[in-house]
Amino acid sequence: MSLSSVIPHADLTTMNTLALPSQAAYFASVDSVAQLQETLKWWKSQRTSLPVMALGGGSNLVLAGDIQRLVIKVDIQGREEVQEDDQFVWLRIGAGENWHDLVRHCMDFHLWGLENLALIPGNVGAAPIQNIGAYGVELCELFAELTAVEISSGVSVTFDRDACHFGYRDSVFKQRLRDRYIITSVTLKLRKEADLCWHYPALQQYFAERETEPETPLDIFAAVCEVRRSKLPNPAEIANAGSFFKNPVISDAQYQQLQQRYPDMVAYPQAGGKVKLAAGWLIDQAGWRGRQQGAVGVHERQALVLTHDGCGTGADLLALADDIKSDIYERYGVELEIEPRVYLGRPNAAE
Ligand code: EPU
């Protein structure tokens, strides 16, 4: 091994917001597409069987052990207006930019659309992978295109919105193209005229309590920041990866049965006669909110968020997740799916 930017045995504990102990077999940080391509070319020339894994802000990741891969941290910066018409501005952003810094930048320059997505942890390059969404808006609504480098060939490719197959917390990069590409930039189509979106219950409640209505996207931005800060733990203070489970989507028939037994159950009707349940409500009602299991636990204000006190392992966290999943299935017959990406590495021990 001789590419100076590739380091063996790198500690990833501070690079994942759950603060799970983990070592990467090899690690490199890249700040340009050319450097990424050079690293991939060199890795291929080593004829190793170890796969490559991309790392962004580490906020949607469960590292359950040591990672037998070349972990590439994407640190590509930059924001550039690439196109403009009388309604929209197309902004291309480097994958390594911090998501919330981007949202703030757009607020400062009156480029609207991201206000509901304030304070989501992580980097821009990870946003399309799970199609981040909050308070009634999903990334795909503002998405124009992305560029990504194919790991096997090093070729840079452009994906438009259709090619990304976006769904609820889902895209082609979590499915068919999982681990095949590294995203290097994202282009968003942002509005010059405001289009306020505040139908989401928590936002309606926020403005109702203050007997006011939002007048500009900046009011929504402030509301989202306040609501999130009141419910969701800051990963810099309490290690977590946001929502640990997806909100499950079930058939209307199953929902009708559940609703008879649990009239207060929180549910959102979906297209195609399906119903999305609030996993946080199910977990909360089952008595898990605030429960601690050794070094890991369920957050006291939002049952959908699992936390880690810094002294446990990914295995501890997955054991807690399994206990919650089994309990929810027994009680409600509903299968919960883990939302962050889980990497089952070689077993390790907490410090
Ligand atoms: N609820 C409870 N107890 C809880 C948590 C929630 O009863 O402990 C109830 C709430 O009262 C509410 C309902 O469940 O009636 C939904 O809760 P909330 O509005 O907080 O949203 P969520 O469904 O729990 C989703 C996203 C969040 C996003 C919020 C706001 C998923 C998996 N999670 O959470 O996304 O911020 O909506 O849009 O879709 C993330 O993905 O990391 C994330 C934080």
Coordinates of all heavy atoms in Angstrom, one line a residue, residues 60 130 133-136 168-169 200 202 228 231-232 241-243 245-247 266 268 276 278-281 284-285 289 301-304 339, ligand 1:
N60 N -26.2 8.7 9.4 CA -27.3 7.7 9.1 C -26.7 6.3 9.0 O -27.0 5.6 8.1 CB -28.0 8.1 7.8 CG -29.4 7.6 7.7 OD1 -30.2 7.6 8.7 ND2 -29.8 7.1 6.6
Q130 N -31.2 8.6 1.0 CA -32.4 8.3 1.8 C -33.5 9.3 1.5 O -34.6 9.3 2.2 CB -32.1 8.1 3.3 CG -31.5 9.4 3.9 CD -31.9 9.5 5.3 OE1 -32.9 9.1 5.8 NE2 -31.0 10.2 6.1
G133 N -36.4 13.8 4.4 CA -37.7 14.5 4.4 C -38.0 14.9 5.8 O -37.6 14.3 6.8
A134 N -38.8 16.0 6.0 CA -39.2 16.5 7.3 C -40.3 17.5 7.1 O -40.2 18.3 6.1 CB -38.1 17.0 8.1
Y135 N -41.2 17.5 8.0 CA -42.2 18.6 8.1 C -42.9 18.9 6.8 O -43.1 20.0 6.4 CB -41.6 19.9 8.8 CG -41.1 19.5 10.1 CD1 -39.8 19.2 10.3 CD2 -42.0 19.3 11.2 CE1 -39.3 18.8 11.5 CE2 -41.5 18.8 12.4 CZ -40.2 18.6 12.6 OH -39.7 18.1 13.8
G136 N -43.3 17.8 6.1 CA -44.1 17.9 4.9 C -43.3 18.1 3.6 O -44.0 18.2 2.5
Y168 N -40.3 7.1 -0.2 CA -40.2 7.5 1.2 C -38.9 6.9 1.9 O -38.8 5.7 2.0 CB -41.4 7.1 2.0 CG -41.3 7.1 3.5 CD1 -41.0 8.3 4.2 CD2 -41.4 5.9 4.2 CE1 -40.9 8.3 5.5 CE2 -41.3 5.9 5.6 CZ -41.0 7.1 6.2 OH -40.8 7.2 7.6
R169 N -38.0 7.8 2.2 CA -36.7 7.4 2.8 C -36.0 6.3 1.9 O -35.4 5.4 2.4 CB -36.8 6.9 4.2 CG -37.2 7.9 5.3 CD -36.2 8.9 5.5 NE -36.5 9.8 6.6 CZ -37.3 10.8 6.6 NH1 -37.9 11.1 5.5 NH2 -37.6 11.5 7.7
Y200 N -48.0 20.3 7.9 CA -47.6 19.2 8.8 C -48.1 19.6 10.3 O -47.9 20.7 10.7 CB -46.1 19.1 8.8 CG -45.6 17.8 9.4 CD1 -45.5 16.7 8.7 CD2 -45.2 17.8 10.8 CE1 -45.1 15.5 9.3 CE2 -44.7 16.6 11.4 CZ -44.7 15.5 10.6 OH -44.2 14.3 11.2
A202 N -47.2 19.2 13.4 CA -46.3 19.9 14.4 C -46.1 21.4 14.0 O -46.0 22.2 14.9 CB -45.0 19.2 14.4
R228 N -37.7 21.1 16.1 CA -36.7 20.0 16.1 C -35.8 20.0 17.4 O -35.6 19.0 18.0 CB -35.7 20.1 14.9 CG -36.3 19.6 13.6 CD -35.3 19.6 12.5 NE -34.4 18.4 12.6 CZ -34.6 17.3 11.9 NH1 -35.5 17.2 11.0 NH2 -33.8 16.2 12.1
K231 N -37.5 18.5 20.3 CA -37.9 17.0 20.3 C -36.7 16.1 20.0 O -36.6 15.0 20.5 CB -38.9 16.7 19.2 CG -40.3 17.1 19.5 CD -41.2 16.6 18.4 CE -42.5 17.2 18.5 NZ -43.4 16.9 17.4
L232 N -35.8 16.6 19.2 CA -34.7 15.7 18.7 C -33.4 16.0 19.3 O -33.0 17.2 19.4 CB -34.6 15.8 17.1 CG -35.8 15.3 16.4 CD1 -35.8 15.8 14.9 CD2 -35.9 13.8 16.4
A241 N -28.7 8.7 15.6 CA -28.7 8.8 14.1 C -30.1 9.2 13.6 O -30.6 8.7 12.6 CB -28.3 7.5 13.6
G242 N -30.8 10.1 14.3 CA -32.1 10.5 13.9 C -33.1 9.4 14.1 O -32.9 8.5 14.9
S243 N -34.1 9.4 13.3 CA -35.1 8.3 13.3 C -34.4 6.9 13.1 O -33.8 6.8 12.1 CB -36.2 8.5 12.3 OG -36.8 9.7 12.5
F245 N -36.1 4.0 13.0 CA -37.0 3.1 12.2 C -37.7 4.0 11.2 O -38.0 5.2 11.4 CB -38.0 2.4 13.1 CG -37.4 1.5 14.1 CD1 -37.2 1.9 15.4 CD2 -36.9 0.3 13.8 CE1 -36.6 1.1 16.4 CE2 -36.3 -0.6 14.7 CZ -36.2 -0.1 16.0
K246 N -38.1 3.4 10.0 CA -39.0 4.1 9.1 C -40.4 4.0 9.6 O -40.8 3.1 10.4 CB -39.0 3.3 7.7 CG -37.7 3.6 7.0 CD -37.5 2.7 5.8 CE -38.2 3.1 4.5 NZ -37.7 2.4 3.4
N247 N -41.2 5.0 9.3 CA -42.6 4.9 9.6 C -43.3 3.8 8.7 O -43.2 3.9 7.5 CB -43.3 6.2 9.4 CG -43.0 7.2 10.5 OD1 -42.7 6.8 11.6 ND2 -43.0 8.5 10.2
V266 N -51.8 7.2 15.6 CA -51.5 8.3 14.6 C -51.2 7.6 13.2 O -50.4 6.7 13.1 CB -50.2 9.1 15.0 CG1 -49.9 10.2 14.0 CG2 -50.4 9.7 16.4
Y268 N -51.3 8.3 8.7 CA -51.4 9.3 7.5 C -51.8 8.5 6.3 O -51.0 7.6 5.9 CB -50.0 10.0 7.3 CG -49.4 10.5 8.5 CD1 -48.4 9.8 9.2 CD2 -49.7 11.8 9.0 CE1 -47.8 10.3 10.3 CE2 -49.1 12.3 10.1 CZ -48.1 11.5 10.8 OH -47.5 12.0 11.9
K276 N -49.8 5.1 6.4 CA -48.4 5.2 7.1 C -48.7 5.4 8.5 O -49.4 6.4 8.9 CB -47.6 6.3 6.5 CG -46.2 6.3 6.9 CD -45.5 7.6 6.6 CE -44.8 7.6 5.2 NZ -44.2 8.9 5.0
A278 N -47.2 6.2 12.5 CA -46.1 6.8 13.2 C -45.4 5.8 14.1 O -45.9 5.4 15.1 CB -46.6 8.0 14.0
A279 N -44.2 5.3 13.7 CA -43.5 4.3 14.4 C -43.2 4.9 15.8 O -43.2 4.1 16.8 CB -42.2 4.0 13.7
G280 N -43.0 6.2 16.0 CA -42.7 6.8 17.3 C -43.9 6.6 18.2 O -43.7 6.3 19.4
W281 N -45.1 6.7 17.7 CA -46.3 6.5 18.5 C -46.3 5.1 19.0 O -46.6 4.8 20.2 CB -47.5 6.9 17.7 CG -48.8 6.9 18.5 CD1 -49.3 8.0 19.2 CD2 -49.6 5.8 18.7 NE1 -50.5 7.6 19.8 CE2 -50.7 6.3 19.5 CE3 -49.7 4.5 18.3 CZ2 -51.8 5.4 19.9 CZ3 -50.7 3.7 18.7 CH2 -51.7 4.1 19.5
D284 N -43.7 4.4 21.6 CA -44.0 5.2 22.8 C -45.1 4.5 23.5 O -45.0 4.2 24.8 CB -44.4 6.6 22.3 CG -44.6 7.5 23.5 OD1 -44.6 7.1 24.7 OD2 -44.9 8.7 23.2
Q285 N -46.2 4.1 22.8 CA -47.3 3.5 23.5 C -47.0 2.1 24.1 O -47.5 1.7 25.1 CB -48.5 3.2 22.5 CG -49.1 4.5 22.0 CD -49.8 5.3 23.1 OE1 -50.7 4.7 23.8 NE2 -49.5 6.5 23.2
R289 N -40.4 4.5 25.4 CA -39.8 5.9 25.4 C -39.1 6.1 26.8 O -39.6 5.9 27.8 CB -40.9 6.9 25.2 CG -40.3 8.3 25.1 CD -41.2 9.3 24.4 NE -42.6 9.3 24.9 CZ -42.9 10.1 26.0 NH1 -42.0 10.9 26.6 NH2 -44.1 10.1 26.5
R301 N -37.8 12.1 24.7 CA -38.8 13.0 24.0 C -39.2 12.5 22.7 O -40.2 13.0 22.1 CB -38.2 14.4 23.9 CG -38.1 15.1 25.2 CD -37.9 16.6 25.0 NE -36.7 16.9 24.2 CZ -35.5 17.0 24.7 NH1 -35.3 17.0 26.0 NH2 -34.5 17.3 23.9
Q302 N -38.5 11.5 22.1 CA -38.9 11.0 20.7 C -38.5 9.6 20.7 O -37.3 9.2 20.5 CB -38.2 11.9 19.7 CG -38.2 11.4 18.3 CD -39.5 11.0 17.6 OE1 -40.1 10.0 18.0 NE2 -39.9 11.8 16.7
A303 N -39.5 8.7 20.7 CA -39.3 7.3 20.8 C -38.7 6.6 19.6 O -38.2 5.5 19.6 CB -40.6 6.5 21.2
L304 N -38.7 7.4 18.5 CA -38.1 6.9 17.2 C -36.6 7.0 17.2 O -36.0 6.5 16.3 CB -38.8 7.7 16.1 CG -38.8 7.1 14.7 CD1 -39.3 5.7 14.7 CD2 -39.7 7.9 13.8
E339 N -34.0 2.3 9.7 CA -33.8 3.3 8.7 C -32.3 3.6 8.3 O -32.0 3.5 7.1 CB -34.5 4.6 9.1 CG -34.8 5.5 7.9 CD -33.6 6.3 7.4 OE1 -32.9 6.9 8.2 OE2 -33.4 6.2 6.2
Ligands
EPU1 N1 -45.1 10.4 18.6 C1 -45.4 9.9 19.9 N2 -44.3 9.6 20.7 C2 -43.1 9.7 20.3 C3 -42.8 10.2 19.0 C4 -43.8 10.5 18.2 O1 -46.5 9.8 20.3 O2 -42.2 9.4 21.1 C5 -46.2 10.8 17.8 C6 -46.3 12.3 17.6 O3 -47.0 12.9 18.7 C7 -46.9 12.5 16.3 C8 -46.5 11.3 15.5 O4 -46.0 10.3 16.4 O5 -48.3 12.5 16.4 C9 -45.4 11.6 14.5 O6 -44.3 12.2 15.2 P1 -43.4 13.4 14.6 O7 -44.2 14.4 13.9 O8 -42.4 13.8 15.6 O9 -42.7 12.7 13.4 P2 -42.1 11.2 13.2 O10 -43.1 10.4 12.3 O11 -41.8 10.6 14.5 C10 -40.8 11.8 11.0 C11 -39.5 11.6 10.4 C12 -38.5 12.6 11.0 C13 -38.9 14.0 10.7 C14 -40.4 14.1 11.3 C15 -40.9 15.5 11.0 C16 -39.3 9.3 9.7 C17 -38.8 7.9 10.0 N3 -39.1 10.2 10.6 O12 -40.8 11.5 12.3 O13 -37.2 12.4 10.4 O14 -38.1 14.9 11.3 O15 -41.2 13.1 10.8 O16 -41.3 15.5 9.6 O17 -40.0 9.5 8.7 C18 -35.1 11.3 10.4 O18 -35.4 10.7 9.4 O19 -34.0 11.0 11.0 C19 -36.1 12.2 11.1 C20 -35.8 12.7 12.3

